[in-house]
Amino acid sequence: MTDVKIGKILRIEGLSLLIQITEDVSDRLLIHDDCSDFLVSINRLVYSKLPSGKIVIAKIAKIFDKSLFVKEDLFRVPEGKYLLDAKLIGIYDNYLKHFDSGINTFPIIGSEVYAVNNVIYNTVLEISSKYKLEIAESYHNRNIKIFANPDILLGKHLAIIGNTGTGKTCTVASIIQGLKRRLNQENKIKPKILIFDSNKEYERAFKSPEFKVKCIKKEEIKLPHYYLNYHEYYKFVGASQGVQAPVLKEAIASLRNGQIKFDFAQLPETIIEIIREKAQNNNFNYNQWYGWVSTMLNRIQQLIDDERFDSIIQATDTDLEEMLSGDDEILIFETDFDRDVLDVVMFLFCKILYKWTQDNESRKNILLILEEAHRYINEDESDDYKLGNYYIERIAREGRKFGLSLVVSSQRPSELSKTILSQCNSFIIHRITNRLDLEFITKLLTIDDKDLLNIIPGLEKQYAVITGEAFGYSDITRILTAEPTPKSDDPKVIDSWMESE
Ligand SMILES: Nc1ncnc2c1ncn2[C@@H]1O[C@H](COP(=O)(O)OP(=O)(O)O)[C@@H](O)[C@H]1O
Ligand SMILES: [Mg+2]
């Protein structure tokens, strides 16, 4: 092996190595840069040989100048001017070319330390699955490809987080494009992907004939109210428990008349009929009854009059089921609804989807992509919105069993439903600067990954820390370029203010 020697081990303390740089790599010393020529920089890997012939691998966590601690004699050539603090991460078998994370043997003090070569680095990053999906390049060396196990990445749940404009939407587009372009086996695949596109960005990223795409406009998303059950109707119209809920139930039952479908617009007059009848048959008069149900009647009338709810209240059918069983590979739903409409839309959509997946066992797995997910699965707002998270959380918990998985993309992880985030197995983390969100992420990830967390506020756009079950190893990466990109270009304020001649 012609590896470059960089130093020797001065101290071993727990999983930390203190390494003295003995070789002249000082001109190649660097704290933080994406140039691949530097041997020694934060998060790069180094190794030392074990008596067994295997080698132990460590990741550089700190680099510092020894003179911070020791006064050098001015007239002596300073040997070992720099020190490294590196964390042991695993053991590599030179003969089997195999890496195991975790440490069972420790190196010997004074042992030589080398910079890890690309062969070892690739093995550390390698994943052992039937399918491998190339998703990124290593931050340290653009020639090193980073793969994910797509069965885990897209079969369990994936969270993509980061500030606005750091690359979340492009990352999603790049991964999906990769399914047709960068799987390790040249198989034809026809995925089934549903995208909740809250900013109308995705259409541009997926072009036929590569993908069979269907875009569904906001007005075309027909989600008939009659999929709600009684309890859900109470929440939808805000019926109080005492009088309103039972009256509403009676009205719906009479309109349904044994069938599931009914005309929502007939509810007010049916309710009036019911209370008229009641006033004749008991001690309370019509005005009393009316007083009790009037707030509910008002809310029902508001919903009927509100055009934004037309596709829910006036829809007599849904073509969602047809779309799910059709042969479109990517369904892009335009979901820039107002928050109150979105609440009902998400609820009905997920309820119908959930039921459909349960009823249709012999079907493709479905990937549901939730863009700007904090908008509809927001933990803090769950009290304000009546229907909200219930079915999404259910999909997060049980969906995998029915071949239904989630990609949750958000700039506010700390606001997202904890139930949903805690079900995610893989994470792609772009730059995050908000302290609350950073703290939240720190808690969410395993101890091992914490060194990487310090890098997160400084990531450039398109760069991301990847961690979790779908990846061989947690690392800083540059996500492969989406081509074409979604329609999410950075704002062009000045151009728009420019005077045209
Ligand atoms: N993987 C990528 N491929 C191509 N361009 C990217 C990529 N990641 C980020 N970008 C650039 O960054 C900009 C913002 O990315 P975007 O995905 O819209 O961020 P976010 O969804 O986090 O707001 C894009 O317009 C694009 O120019
Ligand atoms: Mg985006």
Side-chain angles (χ1 to χ4, degrees), residues 467-480:
T467 181
E469 204 186 329
F471 311 107
Y473 169 73
S474 306
D475 206 354
I476 312 168
T477 65
R478 182 176 188 272
I479 303 293
L480 295 179

Side-chain angles (χ1 to χ4, degrees), residues 163-170 461-462 480-482 485 488-490:
N163 291 2
T164 303
T166 53
K168 299 180 298 297
T169 306
C170 289
K461 71 180 175 189
Q462 198 169 347
L480 295 179
T481 299
T485 51
S488 59
D489 314 296
D490 290 330

Side-chain angles (χ1 to χ4, degrees), residues 295-306:
T295 52
M296 175 173 78
L297 276 174
N298 281 341
R299 278 189 300 264
I300 292 176
Q301 197 56 50
Q302 273 167 18
L303 286 167
I304 295 170
D305 295 340
D306 191 339

Side-chain angles (χ1 to χ4, degrees), residues 41-249:
S41 76
I42 296 282
N43 272 312
R44 289 205 71 133
L45 302 182
V46 295
Y47 74 83
S48 177
K49 291 174 186 154
L50 292 170
S52 63
K54 293 182 182 174
I55 67 180
V56 62
I57 299 195
K59 187 164 73 170
I60 300 175
K62 290 181 197 151
I63 305 171
F64 43 94
D65 193 317
K66 203 168 147 188
S67 61
L68 278 175
F69 309 102
V70 189
K71 279 259 173 289
E72 293 283 355
D73 180 343
L74 277 177
F75 301 102
R76 250 181 47 208
V77 182
E79 191 226 23
K81 196 167 173 325
Y82 297 107
L83 297 174
L84 300 181
D85 183 3
K87 299 268 180 293
L88 295 169
I89 60 163
I91 293 184
Y92 176 78
D93 188 320
N94 247 329
Y95 303 101
L96 301 174
K97 302 267 176 281
H98 178 77
F99 173 76
D100 272 319
S101 52
I103 300 293
N104 50 28
T105 327
F106 286 85
I108 295 167
I109 194 147
S111 308
E112 292 175 334
V113 175
Y114 299 83
V116 151
N117 61 30
N118 286 1
V119 178
I120 300 178
Y121 193 44
N122 270 322
T123 316
V124 173
L125 295 171
E126 192 157 274
I127 47 164
S128 54
S129 54
K130 178 177 173 197
Y131 295 109
K132 301 179 209 305
L133 176 65
E134 193 188 335
I135 62 155
E137 297 157 348
S138 167
Y139 168 87
H140 304 294
N141 183 341
R142 297 277 293 266
N143 298 321
I144 290 176
K145 297 171 176 175
I146 309 277
F147 292 88
N149 175 349
D151 281 323
I152 306 283
L153 191 72
L154 309 175
K156 297 189 175 180
H157 308 315
L158 163 68
I160 300 178
I161 44 199
N163 291 2
T164 303
T166 53
K168 299 180 298 297
T169 306
C170 289
T171 294
V172 172
S174 166
I175 289 174
I176 298 176
Q177 289 166 351
L179 289 173
K180 296 266 189 177
R181 306 175 192 170
R182 296 188 291 269
L183 265 184
N184 59 325
Q185 304 194 359
E186 282 290 314
N187 291 330
K188 277 221 169 75
I189 76 158
K190 284 181 67 52
K192 192 79 189 177
I193 298 170
L194 318 182
I195 303 178
F196 266 48
D197 186 8
S198 27
N199 298 325
K200 303 193 199 169
E201 295 172 318
Y202 278 98
E203 190 172 352
R204 199 172 77 180
F206 308 112
K207 288 260 155 54
S208 64
E210 189 179 31
F211 285 98
K212 204 160 179 314
V213 186
K214 185 181 174 75
C215 296
I216 300 106
K217 293 256 165 310
K218 198 155 74 172
E219 317 75 64
E220 295 166 4
I221 306 178
K222 301 262 179 275
L223 296 166
H225 64 91
Y226 55 75
Y227 281 93
L228 299 175
N229 62 30
Y230 286 122
H231 198 70
E232 291 153 9
Y233 274 113
Y234 304 157
K235 288 190 172 171
F236 182 39
V237 308
S240 65
Q241 282 306 313
V243 176
Q244 296 183 348
V247 169
L248 180 66
K249 185 174 183 180

Side-chain angles (χ1 to χ4, degrees), residues 8 16 85 141 161 173 179 218 264 270 288 312 338 361 385 405 407 417 430 432 437 446 478 490 501:
K8 65 176 187 201
S16 275
D85 183 3
N141 183 341
I161 44 199
L179 289 173
K218 198 155 74 172
F264 192 88
T270 314
Q288 283 172 304
I312 292 162
D338 296 333
E361 271 175 28
Y385 291 95
S405 40
V407 173
S417 148
H430 290 277
I432 298 178
D437 290 321
T446 54
R478 182 176 188 272
D490 290 330
E501 300 308 304

Side-chain angles (χ1 to χ4, degrees), residues 189-445:
I189 76 158
K190 284 181 67 52
K192 192 79 189 177
I193 298 170
L194 318 182
I195 303 178
F196 266 48
D197 186 8
S198 27
N199 298 325
K200 303 193 199 169
E201 295 172 318
Y202 278 98
E203 190 172 352
R204 199 172 77 180
F206 308 112
K207 288 260 155 54
S208 64
E210 189 179 31
F211 285 98
K212 204 160 179 314
V213 186
K214 185 181 174 75
C215 296
I216 300 106
K217 293 256 165 310
K218 198 155 74 172
E219 317 75 64
E220 295 166 4
I221 306 178
K222 301 262 179 275
L223 296 166
H225 64 91
Y226 55 75
Y227 281 93
L228 299 175
N229 62 30
Y230 286 122
H231 198 70
E232 291 153 9
Y233 274 113
Y234 304 157
K235 288 190 172 171
F236 182 39
V237 308
S240 65
Q241 282 306 313
V243 176
Q244 296 183 348
V247 169
L248 180 66
K249 185 174 183 180
E250 226 179 302
I252 294 172
S254 104
L255 282 171
R256 272 194 169 144
N257 197 14
Q259 288 181 325
I260 176 101
K261 295 186 189 183
F262 71 93
D263 183 0
F264 192 88
Q266 288 182 2
L267 266 180
E269 48 186 284
T270 314
I271 289 171
I272 298 283
E273 271 167 39
I274 286 171
I275 59 170
R276 271 220 174 88
E277 223 168 275
K278 286 194 185 300
Q280 281 167 6
N281 301 329
N282 62 31
N283 301 334
F284 303 105
N285 65 33
Y286 174 78
N287 284 344
Q288 283 172 304
W289 278 101
Y290 189 84
W292 292 325
V293 298
S294 63
T295 52
M296 175 173 78
L297 276 174
N298 281 341
R299 278 189 300 264
I300 292 176
Q301 197 56 50
Q302 273 167 18
L303 286 167
I304 295 170
D305 295 340
D306 191 339
E307 284 170 10
R308 299 173 308 145
F309 283 96
D310 279 359
S311 61
I312 292 162
I313 285 180
Q314 290 178 12
T316 50
D317 254 314
T318 176
D319 36 16
L320 185 57
E321 288 162 342
E322 210 172 293
M323 287 187 231
L324 291 172
S325 40
D327 68 346
D328 289 310
E329 297 169 314
I330 302 180
L331 298 169
I332 302 175
F333 296 90
E334 185 187 294
T335 53
D336 55 335
F337 294 101
D338 296 333
R339 185 63 176 91
D340 53 341
V341 186
L342 190 61
D343 180 51
V344 192
V345 167
M346 281 308 292
F347 184 85
L348 283 166
F349 187 98
C350 292
K351 182 168 185 177
I352 296 170
L353 176 63
Y354 185 84
K355 279 200 152 57
W356 184 85
T357 48
Q358 281 188 305
D359 296 345
N360 293 270
E361 271 175 28
S362 57
R363 52 169 183 84
K364 289 182 179 183
N365 277 44
I366 290 178
L367 181 66
L368 177 60
I369 295 175
L370 305 175
E371 263 281 321
E372 310 270 348
H374 54 278
R375 290 190 62 212
Y376 31 87
I377 43 180
N378 192 311
E379 187 106 332
D380 304 335
E381 291 180 3
S382 57
D383 291 338
D384 303 341
Y385 291 95
K386 293 160 276 185
L387 293 166
N389 303 351
Y390 179 75
Y391 271 95
I392 310 185
E393 290 190 348
R394 198 143 171 207
I395 289 174
R397 278 196 309 266
E398 306 166 28
R400 259 173 303 191
K401 283 188 283 194
F402 314 114
L404 186 56
S405 40
L406 297 176
V407 173
V408 186
S409 160
S410 171
Q411 72 231 34
R412 296 309 314 271
S414 61
E415 288 180 10
L416 275 182
S417 148
K418 310 255 180 316
T419 313
I420 293 172
L421 263 189
S422 63
Q423 295 287 332
C424 291
N425 297 62
S426 310
F427 296 87
I428 299 179
I429 307 164
H430 290 277
R431 185 178 70 243
I432 298 178
T433 44
N434 179 296
R435 190 179 49 84
L436 272 180
D437 290 321
L438 278 169
E439 279 169 11
F440 182 77
I441 294 295
T442 312
K443 284 192 206 126
L444 197 69
L445 300 180

